[in-house]
Amino acid sequence: MYTIEQLSIMTGLTTRTLRNYLKSNLLQGSKDTGFWKFTEQQVSEFIRHPSVQASIQAKHHAIVYDFLARQDNTKQEMCILFDRVLGEFEAKKLADFFCHAVNRFSHIRFVFSYESGTARYILKGAEADLIEIMKEFYSR
């Protein structure tokens, strides 16, 4: 099960945008004790919808473009973009790992997409924080 906050982190869409998708029935979920919850199947169906894919892709591109175009070079930041050929279950499991890791830090952006057997992960944030996350990833 995913929360709306986890779905927001994975897609790059705001929780407000996700709530609008809920109102328009493009996103299905259930409210449990006042909190939205989404199954893996509901998340898969949502991110595969053509109009949603376009929104998610735009958010993904914005992270990379913003990093490349930034004018303020006073911060030690990194942007990591990598693709993995994985089954859908394994791809989501890895996305869960990054979601939990990113939640421990502030100001890290993470997005995930899955299409045609390839998972794409994008992380942007403080260099030291991303190095720590990637060390955890490779030591699993």
Side-chain angles (χ1 to χ4, degrees), residues 57-70 79 124:
Q57 194 170 46
K59 289 291 187 176
H60 292 191
H61 291 165
I63 291 173
V64 177
Y65 293 145
D66 289 349
F67 177 78
L68 293 173
R70 74 184 175 131
C79 184
K124 178 188 165 278

CSV table of all heavy atoms in Angstrom, one decimal, residues 57-70 79 124:
chain,number,residue,atom,x,y,z
A,57,GLN,N,6.0,12.7,-16.9
A,57,GLN,CA,7.2,12.9,-17.7
A,57,GLN,C,7.6,14.4,-17.7
A,57,GLN,O,8.8,14.6,-17.6
A,57,GLN,CB,6.9,12.5,-19.2
A,57,GLN,CG,8.2,12.3,-20.0
A,57,GLN,CD,7.9,11.6,-21.3
A,57,GLN,OE1,6.9,12.0,-22.0
A,57,GLN,NE2,8.7,10.7,-21.7
A,58,ALA,N,6.7,15.3,-17.7
A,58,ALA,CA,7.1,16.7,-17.6
A,58,ALA,C,7.8,17.0,-16.3
A,58,ALA,O,8.7,17.8,-16.3
A,58,ALA,CB,5.8,17.6,-17.8
A,59,LYS,N,7.3,16.5,-15.2
A,59,LYS,CA,7.9,16.7,-13.9
A,59,LYS,C,9.3,16.1,-13.9
A,59,LYS,O,10.3,16.7,-13.4
A,59,LYS,CB,7.1,16.0,-12.8
A,59,LYS,CG,5.8,16.7,-12.5
A,59,LYS,CD,6.1,18.1,-11.9
A,59,LYS,CE,4.8,18.8,-11.4
A,59,LYS,NZ,5.1,20.0,-10.8
A,60,HIS,N,9.5,14.9,-14.5
A,60,HIS,CA,10.8,14.3,-14.6
A,60,HIS,C,11.8,15.1,-15.3
A,60,HIS,O,12.9,15.4,-14.9
A,60,HIS,CB,10.7,12.9,-15.2
A,60,HIS,CG,10.0,11.9,-14.4
A,60,HIS,ND1,9.9,10.6,-14.7
A,60,HIS,CD2,9.2,12.0,-13.3
A,60,HIS,CE1,9.2,9.9,-13.8
A,60,HIS,NE2,8.8,10.8,-12.9
A,61,HIS,N,11.3,15.6,-16.5
A,61,HIS,CA,12.2,16.4,-17.3
A,61,HIS,C,12.6,17.7,-16.6
A,61,HIS,O,13.7,18.2,-16.7
A,61,HIS,CB,11.5,16.8,-18.6
A,61,HIS,CG,11.4,15.6,-19.5
A,61,HIS,ND1,10.6,15.6,-20.6
A,61,HIS,CD2,12.0,14.3,-19.5
A,61,HIS,CE1,10.6,14.4,-21.2
A,61,HIS,NE2,11.5,13.6,-20.6
A,62,ALA,N,11.6,18.3,-15.9
A,62,ALA,CA,11.9,19.5,-15.1
A,62,ALA,C,13.0,19.4,-14.1
A,62,ALA,O,13.8,20.3,-13.9
A,62,ALA,CB,10.6,20.0,-14.5
A,63,ILE,N,13.0,18.2,-13.4
A,63,ILE,CA,14.1,18.0,-12.4
A,63,ILE,C,15.5,18.1,-13.1
A,63,ILE,O,16.4,18.8,-12.6
A,63,ILE,CB,13.9,16.7,-11.7
A,63,ILE,CG1,12.7,16.7,-10.8
A,63,ILE,CG2,15.1,16.4,-10.9
A,63,ILE,CD1,12.3,15.4,-10.2
A,64,VAL,N,15.6,17.4,-14.2
A,64,VAL,CA,16.9,17.4,-14.9
A,64,VAL,C,17.2,18.7,-15.5
A,64,VAL,O,18.3,19.3,-15.4
A,64,VAL,CB,16.9,16.3,-15.9
A,64,VAL,CG1,18.2,16.3,-16.7
A,64,VAL,CG2,16.7,14.9,-15.3
A,65,TYR,N,16.2,19.3,-16.2
A,65,TYR,CA,16.5,20.6,-16.8
A,65,TYR,C,16.8,21.7,-15.8
A,65,TYR,O,17.7,22.5,-16.0
A,65,TYR,CB,15.2,21.1,-17.6
A,65,TYR,CG,15.0,20.2,-18.8
A,65,TYR,CD1,13.7,19.9,-19.3
A,65,TYR,CD2,16.0,19.7,-19.6
A,65,TYR,CE1,13.4,19.2,-20.4
A,65,TYR,CE2,15.8,18.9,-20.7
A,65,TYR,CZ,14.5,18.6,-21.1
A,65,TYR,OH,14.2,17.8,-22.2
A,66,ASP,N,16.1,21.7,-14.7
A,66,ASP,CA,16.4,22.7,-13.6
A,66,ASP,C,17.8,22.5,-13.1
A,66,ASP,O,18.5,23.5,-12.8
A,66,ASP,CB,15.3,22.6,-12.5
A,66,ASP,CG,14.0,23.1,-12.8
A,66,ASP,OD1,13.8,23.7,-13.9
A,66,ASP,OD2,13.0,22.8,-12.0
A,67,PHE,N,18.2,21.3,-12.9
A,67,PHE,CA,19.5,21.1,-12.4
A,67,PHE,C,20.6,21.6,-13.4
A,67,PHE,O,21.5,22.3,-13.1
A,67,PHE,CB,19.8,19.6,-12.2
A,67,PHE,CG,21.2,19.2,-11.8
A,67,PHE,CD1,21.6,19.4,-10.5
A,67,PHE,CD2,22.1,18.7,-12.7
A,67,PHE,CE1,22.9,19.1,-10.1
A,67,PHE,CE2,23.4,18.4,-12.3
A,67,PHE,CZ,23.8,18.6,-11.0
A,68,LEU,N,20.4,21.3,-14.7
A,68,LEU,CA,21.3,21.7,-15.7
A,68,LEU,C,21.3,23.2,-16.0
A,68,LEU,O,22.4,23.8,-16.2
A,68,LEU,CB,21.0,21.0,-17.1
A,68,LEU,CG,21.3,19.5,-17.1
A,68,LEU,CD1,20.7,18.9,-18.4
A,68,LEU,CD2,22.7,19.2,-16.9
A,69,ALA,N,20.2,23.9,-15.8
A,69,ALA,CA,20.1,25.3,-16.1
A,69,ALA,C,20.3,26.2,-14.8
A,69,ALA,O,20.3,27.4,-15.0
A,69,ALA,CB,18.7,25.6,-16.6
A,70,ARG,N,20.5,25.6,-13.7
A,70,ARG,CA,20.6,26.4,-12.5
A,70,ARG,C,21.8,27.4,-12.6
A,70,ARG,O,22.8,27.2,-13.1
A,70,ARG,CB,20.8,25.6,-11.2
A,70,ARG,CG,22.1,24.9,-11.1
A,70,ARG,CD,22.2,24.0,-9.9
A,70,ARG,NE,23.5,23.4,-9.9
A,70,ARG,CZ,24.2,23.3,-8.9
A,70,ARG,NH1,23.8,23.8,-7.7
A,70,ARG,NH2,25.4,22.7,-9.0
A,79,CYS,N,22.6,15.3,-9.5
A,79,CYS,CA,21.4,14.8,-10.2
A,79,CYS,C,21.8,13.4,-10.7
A,79,CYS,O,22.7,13.3,-11.5
A,79,CYS,CB,20.9,15.7,-11.3
A,79,CYS,SG,19.3,15.2,-12.0
A,124,LYS,N,17.6,14.1,-7.2
A,124,LYS,CA,18.4,15.4,-7.2
A,124,LYS,C,18.4,15.9,-5.8
A,124,LYS,O,17.4,16.0,-5.1
A,124,LYS,CB,17.7,16.4,-8.1
A,124,LYS,CG,18.3,17.7,-8.2
A,124,LYS,CD,17.5,18.7,-9.0
A,124,LYS,CE,17.9,20.1,-8.7
A,124,LYS,NZ,17.4,20.7,-7.5
